[in-house]
Amino acid sequence: MIRSVESAPHVSAPVLAAYSYCEAVTGQQARNFAYGIRLLPAPKRRAMSALYAFSRRVDDIGDGALTDDVKFARLQETRSLLTRIREDAVGEDDTDPVGVALAHAARHFPIPLDGLDELIDGVLMDVRGETYETWDDLKAYCRCVAGAIGRLSLGVFGTEPGARGAERAPEYADTLGLALQLTNILRDVREDAVGGRTYLPADDLAKFGCSAGFGGPNPPEGSDFVGLVHFEVRRARALFAEGYQLLPMLDRRSGACVAAMAGIYRRLLDRIERDPEAVLRGRVSLPGREKAYVAVRGLSGLDARHVTRRVVRRRA
């Protein structure tokens, strides 16, 4: 069982200011994520915003216009900050609000900070321009940049006392992260191509005649782009189905947070499946009212109860 520890009732003004900074970053740059974590009690919401702000910093370095040498140096700086946090060497008077907030969160929740090292490793793969021949290759990358975030988040959420199968919670959290990342890859396929990146496995692209890439608003001539997208959608759905087994292991509000975030991405996946070529024309997204509906559904526990019934039937 993974237990979370709520932060102390009193949080100092410098730490609250650091958390406020992280929450502002989260609200401005991660609307899907922000919809989920607003369902959490304040200590967990703050800790999740600190995790996001650190992760956003790492991602921004990898995605920015800096030279590769500067990116490598900046990523090493973030790893050094992480080492200081791990050694409890970041005080409340530190000038880096993300470091202050994450250090406080790590003192009050059993966050597996090695997951942030994995995230840095994954972004280094981006900087080096790595491509992926097979799904197993891509899966290793996704575990660094998304599966690790699932496991880090579980450190904040914790599992319910006596939850059946809780020893597998990190595995399910990791798998749910993979599902979200594969959905992201499908949504951003054109944007990534314009930036010179290809994430979908080369053998999948070849199988569906899409090895020429996605530099324009139309699929490669003679390709089965729709078949490719539907193939990847099925893979993502299988990952969601496995990862959703985490939900019954969480308390109501943590489960609602996960269900909301995952539900938004599952609906994105539905839209992509209905109109695969939409990802070549622009960014597929959900309107705010639909995200709100998903959040309410998560808070109601409908998704968790559905998963529980399915797992019970499977074990019967």
Side-chain angles (χ1 to χ4, degrees):
M1 179 178 66
I2 300 170
R3 297 295 302 274
S4 65
V5 182
E6 298 290 344
S7 61
H10 175 72
V11 181
S12 70
V15 172
L16 282 176
Y19 276 132
S20 293
Y21 173 85
C22 293
E23 290 184 304
V25 170
T26 303
Q28 292 167 7
Q29 301 191 40
R31 293 179 181 177
N32 290 345
F33 188 83
Y35 261 94
I37 68 170
R38 70 174 59 178
L39 302 174
L40 295 170
K44 291 185 179 182
R45 186 182 68 247
R46 293 174 187 147
M48 290 294 290
S49 71
L51 280 174
Y52 177 82
F54 185 95
S55 302
R56 180 75 265 167
R57 178 179 295 180
V58 174
D59 286 343
D60 284 347
I61 293 170
D63 292 339
L66 303 170
T67 65
D68 287 351
D69 286 347
V70 175
K71 287 182 179 182
F72 286 129
R74 294 280 178 86
L75 288 170
Q76 183 54 48
E77 289 173 7
T78 63
R79 206 186 289 276
S80 296
L81 172 60
L82 187 58
T83 298
R84 291 175 56 219
I85 292 170
R86 191 180 285 112
E87 294 173 351
D88 199 19
V90 176
E92 293 185 1
D93 58 348
D94 195 280
T95 57
D96 186 337
V98 175
V100 172
L102 185 57
H104 184 272
R107 292 185 195 107
H108 292 86
F109 293 93
I111 299 172
L113 292 174
D114 288 353
L116 290 172
D117 278 308
E118 292 181 54
L119 173 63
I120 295 170
D121 292 340
V123 172
L124 283 169
M125 295 167 74
D126 282 335
V127 175
R128 290 192 293 265
E130 294 192 20
T131 56
Y132 309 97
E133 290 297 316
T134 67
W135 165 239
D136 283 343
D137 295 334
L138 178 59
K139 188 161 56 175
Y141 166 78
C142 291
R143 288 199 187 284
C144 285
V145 299
I149 301 301
R151 286 177 266 119
L152 287 158
S153 300
L154 184 62
V156 176
F157 297 145
T159 55
E160 282 283 81
R164 186 173 182 181
E167 70 280 357
R168 298 190 65 183
E171 173 189 337
Y172 294 139
D174 184 281
T175 300
L176 203 51
L178 264 64
L180 270 60
Q181 185 64 22
L182 182 53
T183 303
N184 265 336
I185 288 171
L186 287 173
R187 181 193 62 186
D188 297 340
V189 66
R190 169 78 186 284
E191 180 181 328
D192 289 333
V194 171
R197 292 178 180 172
T198 300
Y199 290 102
L200 291 175
D203 59 1
D204 291 353
L205 296 175
K207 184 189 305 181
F208 293 95
C210 293
S211 297
F214 312 107
N218 299 307
E221 187 174 351
S223 69
D224 181 13
F225 179 73
V226 171
L228 171 68
V229 171
H230 286 170
F231 178 79
E232 304 297 349
V233 165
R234 288 193 296 274
R235 175 175 279 158
R237 288 196 189 286
L239 292 169
F240 273 116
E242 181 178 350
Y244 259 52
Q245 294 182 67
L246 174 66
L247 294 182
M249 301 175 186
L250 306 178
D251 66 75
R252 180 172 175 265
R253 291 176 71 176
S254 296
C257 172
V258 173
M261 288 189 286
I264 287 170
Y265 278 87
R266 284 185 67 184
R267 283 174 174 261
L268 281 174
L269 203 61
D270 291 342
R271 289 194 170 209
I272 292 169
E273 183 178 38
R274 288 195 299 268
D275 184 8
E277 292 186 16
V279 299
L280 299 179
R281 299 191 297 268
R283 193 179 183 88
V284 178
S285 62
L286 298 183
R289 64 181 180 278
E290 191 167 351
K291 293 179 184 179
Y293 168 77
V294 174
V296 170
R297 180 181 172 87
L299 195 58
S300 73
L302 288 172
D303 293 313
R305 289 196 294 272
H306 174 71
V307 171
T308 301
R309 288 194 298 268
R310 190 173 64 223
V311 172
V312 169
R313 286 197 300 268
R314 186 181 302 157
R315 289 170 174 166

